[in-house]
Structures are given as structure tokens and as C-alpha cells.
């Protein structure tokens, strides 16, 4: 039995779950998310909690059991609290700003890099060097944060680039002269 899959998902106040045979819809104060239920799993809703059970013991159903439980748990947390990723710009002259929901990055290229967030994702800039990516879908928030970071990943000699908050770059030793 999957250790993660057999855990019960507690549903906080203000969050409602609508189950059909093939889909799950989670509604909360931040928004709503839906997802297709795999045919090898079934969901059981009890007072204030949700449990995911396997219909059979096939390898494919055992593989997806824990994953789907984590996805549903992330849907519940996302609709009640939301998810945030914070990025920091390190480097001389590196800055970011928001213009009509479009993120403009000046990170050492000859042109500014423009990023338009997808629906459901909000970008915010604090003091020109901190970018906050927020939304209710953990998958989308992480994907957008990774796409922003991939524009200028931190380089190992000076540590300049776009980093996640709290990320430490292991600096390499430069060339030594004779």
C-alpha cells in the first residue's frame, strides 16, 4: 500500500469538492480547479475528509495512487491558501518591472525580456529585484518560476543571475595566474 496514497486529505472550511465518475472539481475562496480521475482509482468523501482508494492491485494503479493523492491535496491547498514562488535577481543592473501584467526583465541582454503570465498566475515585483509568482495551481506556478529562472540561470563564477529565494550558488574558483 502506498504510504502517501493511503493518507486522508482533510478538507478545510470554505472548500467544497464536487465528485463525478470521471472528474473532481475543487472550489475554494481563491478559485476552482478540476482534474480527471484515473479509471483505476476511486474517491471516497467522508465528513470533512477525502480518501483515494485503488479499484485493483495492478502495477499501474499502484504507481498512480500516491501521485494522484498528492495532486488532489495540492488542489485543496491551492484553492484555500494558494502557492507562491519567490525569485531574486542578483547582478549589477539586473532589474524587473511590471507593465500591464507583463513582466519586463533587464538581465544583461541587449534587449529587455518580456514574459506574459498565463491565466490564473499573477506576477508581482518588489523593490526591482524580487519577483513573486502566485497562483492556485502548484504545477503552473512552478513552471512559470522555472521559465523565468531559465532566462538567466545563476552562473558559478560570480553568482549572478535569477535565483530562487534562499538558493545558494556554489561558487567555483576562477583562473589562477602563474
Amino acid at each position: 500500500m502506498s504510504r502517501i496514497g493511503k493518507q486522508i486529505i482533510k478538507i478545510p472550511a470554505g472548500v467544497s469538492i464536487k465528485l463525478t465518475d470521471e472528474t473532481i472539481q475543487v472550489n475554494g475562496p481563491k478559485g476552482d480547479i478540476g482534474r480527471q480521475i484515473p479509471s483505476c482509482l476511486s474517491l471516497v468523501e467522508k465528513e470533512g475528509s477525502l480518501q483515494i482508494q485503488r479499484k485493483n492491485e495492478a502495477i499501474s494503479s499502484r504507481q498512480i495512487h500516491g501521485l494522484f493523492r498528492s495532486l488532489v491535496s495540492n488542489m485543496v491547498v491551492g484553492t484555500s491558501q494558494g502557492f507562491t514562488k519567490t525569485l531574486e535577481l542578483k547582478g549589477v543592473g539586473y532589474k524587473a518591472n511590471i507593465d500591464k501584467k507583463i513582466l519586463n526583465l533587464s538581465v544583461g541582454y541587449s534587449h529587455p525580456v518580456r514574459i506574459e503570465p498565463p491565466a490564473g498566475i499573477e506576477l508581482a515585483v518588489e523593490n526591482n529585484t524580487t519577483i513573486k509568482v502566485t497562483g492556485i495551481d502548484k504545477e503552473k506556478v512552478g513552471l512559470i518560476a522555472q521559465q523565468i529562472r531559465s532566462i538567466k540561470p545563476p552562473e558559478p563564477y560570480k553568482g549572478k543571475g535569477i535565483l530562487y529565494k534562499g538558493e545558494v550558488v556554489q561558487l567555483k574558483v576562477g583562473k589562477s595566474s602563474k
Side-chain angles (χ1 to χ4, degrees):
M1 188 85 180
S2 172
R3 291 184 196 154
I4 295 172
K6 67 181 177 182
Q7 293 176 359
I8 294 173
I9 301 168
K10 290 184 173 53
I11 301 169
V15 176
S16 64
I17 293 181
K18 182 181 174 189
L19 294 173
T20 63
D21 292 338
E22 300 171 350
T23 61
I24 178 171
Q25 191 75 23
V26 181
N27 298 322
K30 298 269 185 181
D32 60 323
I33 306 175
R35 187 175 288 276
Q36 187 121 9
I37 300 172
S39 60
C40 58
L41 299 177
S42 64
L43 279 73
V44 178
E45 187 175 7
K46 296 177 184 169
E47 58 281 339
S49 66
L50 187 70
Q51 188 169 15
I52 294 150
Q53 297 175 342
R54 294 192 295 248
K55 291 182 180 175
N56 56 32
E57 292 298 316
I59 292 174
S60 61
S61 64
R62 291 190 323 209
Q63 289 173 341
I64 204 164
H65 188 204
L67 169 71
F68 192 72
R69 188 257 175 218
S70 295
L71 293 174
V72 172
S73 176
N74 287 341
M75 290 167 59
V76 170
V77 172
T79 55
S80 63
Q81 300 169 5
F83 292 102
T84 302
K85 289 262 187 185
T86 306
L87 299 162
E88 296 175 337
L89 277 67
K90 276 192 177 177
V92 177
Y94 286 14
K95 61 183 178 179
N97 61 13
I98 298 280
D99 182 34
K100 297 178 185 171
K101 293 188 177 183
I102 296 176
L103 177 69
N104 293 319
L105 294 172
S106 299
V107 287
Y109 295 121
S110 61
H111 59 283
V113 180
R114 299 169 54 90
I115 297 171
E116 188 170 351
I121 300 294
E122 293 179 16
L123 299 174
V125 175
E126 298 172 358
N127 64 29
N128 289 339
T129 59
T130 305
I131 304 166
K132 286 196 173 207
V133 182
T134 58
I136 61 172
D137 192 353
K138 187 175 186 179
E139 199 173 340
K140 282 184 182 178
V141 169
L143 182 66
I144 296 301
Q146 187 276 326
Q147 287 175 350
I148 293 171
R149 184 181 184 273
S150 69
I151 291 169
K152 195 76 163 184
E155 54 98 9
Y157 293 101
K158 292 184 181 177
K160 294 179 6 177
I162 302 173
L163 294 83
Y164 291 112
K165 185 173 185 173
E167 181 181 5
V168 177
V169 178
Q170 194 78 27
L171 295 180
K172 293 181 179 179
V173 179
K175 274 187 171 179
S176 60
S177 60
K178 290 185 178 182

